[in-house]
Amino acid sequence: MARVLVLTGDAAEELDSMYPVFRLREGGHDAVVAARTTRAVKLVVHDFEPDCDAYTEKPGHQLPVDVAFGDVNPEDYDALVIPGGRAPEYIRTDPDVARIVTYFFDRGLPVGTICHGAQVPAALGLLRGRTTAAFPPLKADMEQAGATFVDGPDVVDGAMVSCRGWPDLPEWSRAFMQVLERASVPV
């Protein structure tokens, strides 16, 4: 089974973070959570409420962290997941995150982005010429990064699987698990 690195941080969206971790583990994969430090990260719950033009944010659960970004050896992992929320805005500037994410893209390994998670590879110039989904208000950001934006729940571009946010997680998870399965088949 695959060993999947999940890059996250404080203010990551709770469902974007926990759902893939649990789904991967349920599927027999080893989901390893990485953040700036090994203390548990504080997740947030984003929701859409009437009479609010943006999503709302409330405190969520804490997610235990297995390894700090600086201690990650990307060669130890088969795939990468970047959940959304506000965490991607902050972790995308971390040099170790750049090292890790670039490793996966350069080798064509499976990468999953959820909601705002696409901000990380976009900031690193890794979405140029690719097709991606993201939280719909990020369409201009994705296009400025050189990507073709698709407003869809399970956008697959080679080994990259992206979605708009937590309402898409069932479709995203199915697509990501299929990409993982194809990547594990010996050639």
Side-chain angles (χ1 to χ4, degrees), residues 2-121:
R3 192 160 194 235
V4 183
L5 186 66
V6 179
L7 296 183
T8 194
D10 287 329
E13 209 291 322
E14 183 169 291
L15 286 171
D16 289 2
S17 302
M18 294 180 115
Y19 190 110
V21 167
F22 293 153
R23 178 63 188 100
L24 287 162
R25 290 176 180 165
E26 174 192 32
H29 302 289
D30 184 14
V32 178
V33 177
R36 284 198 170 133
T37 69
T38 55
R39 73 160 171 75
V41 293
K42 295 171 175 70
L43 303 176
V44 296
V45 175
H46 288 154
D47 209 349
F48 304 95
E49 297 179 12
D51 301 321
C52 184
D53 291 336
Y55 55 84
T56 60
E57 181 175 287
K58 297 174 181 82
H61 289 90
Q62 292 189 26
L63 179 64
V65 174
D66 302 303
V67 62
F69 295 150
D71 295 327
V72 170
N73 178 1
E75 294 175 10
D76 293 340
Y77 301 92
D78 305 300
L80 176 69
V81 172
I82 308 171
R86 287 185 295 117
E89 179 181 340
Y90 298 99
I91 69 171
R92 66 185 170 170
T93 63
D94 187 295
D96 285 308
V97 168
R99 171 182 60 84
I100 294 163
V101 175
T102 300
Y103 174 90
F104 285 91
F105 274 87
D106 284 353
R107 286 158 184 78
L109 296 171
V111 174
T113 64
I114 302 165
C115 197
H116 285 76
Q119 288 179 308
V120 177

